[in-house]
Amino acid sequence: MAAAAVFSDKGYRASTIQDIGRELGTTSAALYYYFGSKQEILGELIVRPVRQLREMAAEVAQSPLSNREKLGEIVRRHIDMMLKQRELFTIFLRERVELEAQHAGRLAEMEEEYYRQIRSIIDDAARAGEMRDVNRQMLALGIIGMTNWVLRWHKPDGALGADEIASAYMDILGGGAFKEPPGTAGATPVPAEAARRRVKRAS
Amino acid sequence: MAAAAVFSDKGYRASTIQDIGRELGTTSAALYYYFGSKQEILGELIVRPVRQLREMAAEVAQSPLSNREKLGEIVRRHIDMMLKQRELFTIFLRERVELEAQHAGRLAEMEEEYYRQIRSIIDDAARAGEMRDVNRQMLALGIIGMTNWVLRWHKPDGALGADEIASAYMDILGGGAFKEPPGTAGATPVPAEAARRRVKRAS
């Protein structure tokens, strides 16, 4: 992750292959040999977070969790991944504009696919009659937006972890988007700990 | 907004005072005279969106809207401002890392103040017994996050405007965070048009 550290610290434009080589303890010539250009390095780096998110969402989708629990688990693991790889996700969120067309297209496709994975769980829930009549596109985009925004306000020494944040988010979102289970007042928070155990068992 | 156009297009690091001068049809010498440095220009530029957001939130807070309507109106006007000033908000969301300590501190204070304005409406609603027992800090941050994220996915030629997006968001969030008015099933969407008229009348 030498390149991630350099791009995250100096910004893509101001970084040189030499900076990355220095961080890696290798020569620019060796890096050019493997990657061809700084743009190729960014192109490789920037899709990694989305690839991880997609793999994670696919795993959660196949778990035996309820639809609502699946959404909560995706939010929790998304936040957890971001907080553990701040540099990589910072590049993903900030340097996207620096991508040339080919890489930008690939990234957009992968992001679209992550959106569709979340959207698909929401659609399943709607078909099963579990949801209120909300705008499902906005719900999926809202979930992704409030989740990515955590990287902006969360302090590394902050008291709140991924579990607490995801649980609070899903308590708010879940209560608005899902119908209440009969006989309960207010929304049921997603039981994060229980959900995690079930995913673990299933995978 | 010559500087905003240049920073938004090339990124702050790669932009020079010469680029901004060219866009403005003036000399670098004149720009240095007024601003002293590229950093000063960014410092001036990057606080503008937050200053606008704060003024808007203060106006909405003093309006005769209900607490729930106030939140909906802030979300709507926040989105509207972003979509009308994409370059400025892009710089605000992307170039913050480029700020030196003095400007970064000022920006952080202003962002904190915008958060507190939203939080204060939420607290008023809670005190009035209008809300479910949700994490109010997370609700405020979630609202800001999903709202700012709109700039990332919204296409200039997109079918959805600020009204539709805010209304869908508040339908989802409002239903989760607020108690239902007695006798209604599901959340009541914020009547954006009516709310706007009432704010207009009040201001």
Side-chain angles (χ1 to χ4, degrees):
Chain A
M1 281 309 145
V6 171
F7 288 161
S8 162
D9 180 41
K10 297 187 76 171
Y12 172 75
R13 290 244 184 168
S15 303
T16 63
I17 292 250
Q18 282 77 5
D19 295 327
I20 302 169
R22 206 172 304 125
E23 183 82 13
L24 268 173
T26 183
T27 63
S28 331
L31 279 171
Y32 275 119
Y33 177 77
Y34 285 110
F35 287 100
S37 69
K38 191 172 74 158
Q39 176 68 207
E40 287 301 314
I41 300 179
L42 180 64
E44 283 305 310
L45 218 55
I46 209 165
V47 294
R48 280 194 204 171
V50 204
R51 192 180 292 136
Q52 290 177 15
L53 289 172
R54 284 176 47 190
E55 284 166 12
M56 174 275 285
E59 195 181 315
V60 173
Q62 285 165 13
S63 74
L65 297 172
S66 73
N67 291 315
R68 187 165 167 170
E69 286 169 339
K70 281 178 185 172
L71 290 176
E73 181 65 8
I74 287 174
V75 169
R76 192 190 66 77
R77 287 171 67 169
H78 183 145
I79 295 172
D80 192 52
M81 285 161 64
M82 268 192 324
L83 299 184
K84 284 183 179 148
Q85 305 174 86
R86 282 176 188 265
E87 289 174 349
L88 200 58
F89 276 82
T90 298
I91 292 167
F92 161 61
L93 293 172
R94 197 181 65 199
E95 303 289 7
R96 178 192 166 150
V97 280
E98 301 291 352
L99 289 175
E100 288 159 15
Q102 177 205 345
H103 290 301
R106 187 160 68 119
L107 182 65
E109 269 170 40
M110 292 176 72
E111 283 191 282
E112 173 73 20
E113 172 63 22
Y114 183 53
Y115 163 82
R116 274 200 299 265
Q117 289 174 305
I118 291 175
R119 177 65 193 268
S120 163
I121 296 172
I122 293 171
D123 289 346
D124 284 349
R127 263 191 300 273
E130 298 163 10
M131 298 197 65
R132 290 178 43 245
D133 182 26
V134 297
N135 184 318
R136 290 181 241 157
Q137 182 195 7
M138 292 298 114
L139 177 59
L141 290 169
I143 289 175
I144 295 172
M146 66 204 285
T147 303
N148 277 321
W149 193 250
V150 172
L151 197 61
R152 178 100 179 213
W153 59 260
H154 190 274
K155 296 193 175 58
D157 55 353
L160 287 169
D163 283 23
E164 289 84 5
I165 301 167
S167 168
Y169 274 176
M170 288 308 295
D171 183 31
I172 295 162
L173 278 180
F178 282 81
K179 291 177 185 167
E180 304 304 335
T184 61
T188 320
V190 174
E193 190 49 46
R196 195 156 50 258
R197 276 197 304 271
R198 284 167 69 185
V199 170
K200 236 185 203 154
R201 247 182 289 135
S203 60
Chain B
M1 281 308 147
V6 171
F7 288 161
S8 161
D9 180 40
K10 298 187 75 171
Y12 171 75
R13 290 244 184 167
S15 303
T16 62
I17 292 251
Q18 282 78 5
D19 294 328
I20 300 169
R22 207 173 302 125
E23 183 84 11
L24 269 173
T26 183
T27 62
S28 330
L31 280 172
Y32 275 118
Y33 178 77
Y34 285 109
F35 288 102
S37 69
K38 191 172 74 156
Q39 175 68 207
E40 287 301 314
I41 300 179
L42 180 64
E44 282 307 309
L45 218 53
I46 209 165
V47 294
R48 280 194 205 172
V50 204
R51 192 179 294 137
Q52 289 177 16
L53 289 171
R54 283 177 46 190
E55 284 166 11
M56 174 274 286
E59 195 182 317
V60 173
Q62 284 165 13
S63 74
L65 296 173
S66 73
N67 291 314
R68 188 165 166 169
E69 285 168 340
K70 282 178 184 171
L71 290 176
E73 181 64 8
I74 286 175
V75 169
R76 192 191 67 76
R77 288 171 67 168
H78 183 144
I79 295 173
D80 192 51
M81 286 163 63
M82 269 193 322
L83 299 184
K84 285 182 177 149
Q85 306 174 85
R86 281 175 190 265
E87 287 173 350
L88 201 57
F89 276 82
T90 299
I91 291 167
F92 161 61
L93 292 173
R94 198 182 64 199
E95 303 289 6
R96 179 189 164 153
V97 281
E98 300 291 353
L99 289 175
E100 288 160 14
Q102 178 204 346
H103 292 300
R106 187 161 68 119
L107 181 66
E109 268 170 39
M110 293 176 71
E111 284 190 282
E112 173 72 18
E113 172 63 21
Y114 183 55
Y115 163 82
R116 274 198 300 263
Q117 289 174 305
I118 291 175
R119 177 64 192 268
S120 163
I121 298 172
I122 293 171
D123 289 347
D124 283 349
R127 263 191 300 272
E130 297 163 12
M131 300 197 65
R132 290 179 42 246
D133 182 26
V134 296
N135 184 318
R136 291 180 240 158
Q137 180 194 9
M138 291 298 113
L139 177 59
L141 291 169
I143 288 175
I144 295 172
M146 66 203 289
T147 303
N148 278 320
W149 193 249
V150 172
L151 195 63
R152 178 101 180 211
W153 58 260
H154 190 273
K155 296 191 176 58
D157 55 354
L160 288 169
D163 283 22
E164 290 84 5
I165 300 168
S167 167
Y169 274 178
M170 288 309 294
D171 184 31
I172 294 162
L173 278 181
F178 283 81
K179 292 177 185 168
E180 304 304 334
T184 60
T188 319
V190 174
E193 191 48 47
R196 195 156 49 258
R197 277 196 304 271
R198 283 166 70 185
V199 169
K200 237 186 204 151
R201 245 181 290 137
S203 61

